[in-house]
Structures are given as C-alpha cells and as structure tokens.
Amino acid sequence: MTISQMVTSRAAAALDVSRAARSSKLSAVVMLAAVAVLAALPFVAFSNVTDTLVNLFVLIALASMWNLLAGFGGLVSVGQQAYIGIGAYSVIAFADQGVQPYLAVPLAAVTCVIFAVPTSWLAFRLRGDYFAVGTWVIAEVYRLLVVRIDSVGGGSGKGLAGMSDLDQTLRGALTYWVALALALATIAACYLLLRGRLGLSLMAVRDEETAASSVGIDVRRAKRVVYLVSAAGCGAAGGVITVSSLSVNPDAIFSVQWSAYMIFIVVIGGIGYIEGPLLGAVIFFGLQQLLADYGSWYLVLLGAIGMAAALWLPRGLWGLMRDRTGLSLFPVGYFVRGRDA
C-alpha cells in the first residue's frame, strides 16, 4: 500500500457516512406523533374541521406527485388533471358496478396507470415546453371524450352511488382517513423511490439528460416510472375528491386549475425537496381559508405571491430554510461527518 493510499484509508476511517442527519431522527419522532394526532382527529374535532382538512391532504398528495414529476424527473406537466379526472370517473364507474366507493379509490389509481402507459408513449415524444403544452392538450382530449359518454353523465356529470347507506358522521370520518392515508402514501412513495438507485438516476436525468444517458442510465425508463407513479397518485386524489363531494363534473375535475394549484404549491414550498409540497400546501391552504371571500383579489394575491417566490426564492421556502438550518425531514442523500463530531 502506498503512502497516499494509507492516508486516504485513514481519512475514510475517520468519517461517518449515514443516510440520515441527527436532526432527521428527532423530526421523524415528531412527525409520527403528528400523524397519530391527525389520525385521532375525527374522534375529538367537529366534522367541519375534518372536512376542511380533506382538501389539505388532497393538495399535499397532488403537489407531491407534481414535484416528483417535475422537481426530480424534470418533466414539467400542465396536464396532470387528466389523471385526476380519470380517477374521479373511475370511482363513479366502479361504484355503479357495485364496488364500495372507498375500495374504488385504489382501483382508480390502478386504472390511471393503465391509461398512463399508452399516454406516456405519446407524451414522451415531446420535449421541454412542447411536453408541458402537450400534456395539457392530452388532458383536454380526455375531458372531451368523457363528456361524450352518457353512462357517466356526459357534460352534466354524475352523482356517486353506494354512499347513501352510510351514516353521515361515519362517512365523514372514513373520507378523512382515506385522504390522510393518500397524503401519507404519496409522501412515502416519493421518499422510497428517491432513496434508491432510481432516485439517483432521476436527479442525473433532471440535471443533464444526455450525460445521464452516456453513463448507462435508462432515461426513458426512469421518466416512465415517475410518470406512472404520478398518474396513480393523481388518480387516487381524484377518487378522494369524488367520495368527498359525492359527485363529479367534467369541467371542474379536468380543469387546468388543478395543475395551477400544484405548480403554485411546489414553487412557494420548494421544488426538488420532498418537504416542499408539505410546506407549500399548508401555506396555500391557509391563504385559501383567509382570502377566499375576496373574490378576484384572492387570485391576484396568489399570482403576486407566486411571482415573488419565483423571482426571489427560486428554491422555495424550504430551500431557504434548508440552507440556514440544514434541516432535512426526508433525507434521500448521504451525510458525511467526522466520527468525533
């Protein structure tokens, strides 16, 4: 062994490499306690509180899926409302066939994956801005197709069957728990995907697709995996929206406004961080509750906040917090420190 190799070996032995920072372990305990409190909330809070929180959980799920797609996969989509709509109508169709609506939510996610496979072959022929516009066009095509299907209500929409037999209080609690499970599942899916080899491949593809391909990364496969996962998450969110509202309308469920919400949440929260959609969704949800009565000024203020965040906080609020505190709730990289630190 040469002297340089000996020095390198001793330096490596003096370092401690781990997948979690010390602060992450404490934050994990805090998050588990928060989840336990949220799960018990229907027993101690009024139904209007839990009904409102369902919207927050849906926003977290949708933003997490868009962040996985754009923040880690480099696929900026303006058409994820396609899978929200497909998921919503899948729940309607399954319920009409006698499937319990809550059980239809995961089936809606699977249905969206099935639709996303051929859709991805078309969408991935586009790049950059063309991909973004193309996904929006695809979503509009799906909406126009649904409008022409009389069995699901056509242009006027349709009510959800199979819910009238449930007690209203029980129905509200079940909807709340399903929405909470959806939010937790989407966050966990992002975390588990990004901690593995796929996560490294995605970030390489996002940073420089040509270079990633040159070192042996299957770029198309990595993109397709996150596209399908994002479609499943958005489809399940659409299903939760349906069981919460008990009806679906094609113009509302396929609205590009859903993509606008996702983009806004991720931009202000922090794109490229798992924690970003969580923080952004809470802020967006708070703004909705405070400013919804102000009509058009509510939208003007949201636009101003979004532009300010894009100009002065390109990494979002969580990026700023991460730079100043080093806090990471969901570490997906490696932490290196001295053993005596």
Side-chain angles (χ1 to χ4, degrees):
M1 181 179 291
T2 64
I3 294 177
S4 61
Q5 289 174 330
M6 293 175 61
V7 171
T8 302
S9 178
R10 290 177 180 177
L15 297 176
D16 182 22
V17 181
S18 66
R19 296 302 301 265
R22 289 169 182 171
S23 60
S24 302
K25 298 176 181 178
L26 177 60
S27 63
V29 174
V30 174
M31 285 189 293
L32 287 174
V35 169
V37 171
L38 288 173
L41 204 59
F43 298 108
V44 297
F46 292 109
S47 59
N48 61 336
V49 175
T50 54
D51 291 345
T52 303
L53 287 178
V54 167
N55 297 327
L56 173 60
F57 297 149
V58 168
L59 291 173
I60 290 173
L62 291 175
S64 295
M65 292 295 92
W66 194 87
N67 186 47
L68 177 65
L69 194 64
F72 293 99
L75 295 168
V76 179
S77 171
V78 192
Q80 292 309 100
Q81 64 271 15
Y83 300 108
I84 300 174
I86 292 172
Y89 273 97
S90 296
V91 169
I92 293 289
F94 282 121
D96 288 344
Q97 298 301 315
V99 179
Q100 213 288 327
Y102 292 111
L103 297 179
V105 171
L107 295 178
V110 175
T111 303
C112 285
V113 172
I114 295 172
F115 274 87
V117 171
T119 302
S120 66
W121 288 100
L122 174 63
F124 286 177
R125 298 176 67 88
L126 305 173
R127 294 288 186 273
D129 296 340
Y130 295 101
F131 177 83
V133 175
T135 54
W136 174 72
V137 172
I138 290 171
E140 284 297 297
V141 170
Y142 277 128
R143 182 186 67 84
L144 292 174
L145 291 174
V146 167
V147 166
R148 284 160 176 76
I149 302 175
D150 294 334
S151 61
V152 292
S156 59
K158 189 174 183 180
L160 178 62
M163 299 289 277
S164 58
D165 294 338
L166 291 176
D167 176 74
Q168 184 175 356
T169 302
L170 176 60
R171 187 177 69 215
L174 289 174
T175 302
Y176 173 86
W177 284 322
V178 170
L180 175 60
L182 170 66
L184 296 176
T186 53
I187 295 170
C190 293
Y191 181 59
L192 294 175
L193 278 174
L194 296 172
R195 277 178 68 89
R197 294 182 61 183
L198 179 62
L200 295 175
S201 299
L202 283 174
M203 287 181 272
V205 171
R206 176 194 61 189
D207 294 338
E208 180 50 59
E209 182 175 324
T210 303
S213 180
S214 67
V215 296
I217 294 175
D218 190 339
V219 174
R220 187 169 291 272
R221 175 183 174 276
K223 287 184 175 182
R224 182 162 285 110
V225 169
V226 294
Y227 188 83
L228 297 182
V229 171
S230 179
C234 290
V240 172
I241 293 170
T242 301
V243 297
S244 176
S245 61
L246 302 179
S247 64
V248 64
N249 178 276
D251 293 332
I253 203 67
F254 283 101
S255 173
V256 73
Q257 187 176 41
W258 290 111
S259 284
Y261 287 166
M262 295 182 232
I263 296 171
F264 179 86
I265 289 169
V266 174
V267 166
I268 63 173
I271 190 169
Y273 299 99
I274 298 178
E275 301 90 346
L278 281 170
L279 179 59
V282 171
I283 293 173
F284 178 71
F285 180 75
L287 290 173
Q288 276 189 322
Q289 300 304 308
L290 291 173
L291 304 174
D293 295 333
Y294 288 87
S296 60
W297 285 106
Y298 156 68
L299 299 176
V300 171
L301 183 57
L302 286 182
I305 294 173
M307 289 188 292
L311 289 173
W312 291 297
L313 292 173
R315 298 174 62 193
L317 291 173
W318 186 262
L320 178 64
M321 186 183 303
R322 175 79 176 269
D323 291 341
R324 295 189 176 183
T325 65
L327 180 63
S328 179
L329 301 180
F330 302 98
V332 296
Y334 290 89
F335 292 85
V336 181
R337 54 180 176 266
R339 293 187 183 277
D340 57 346

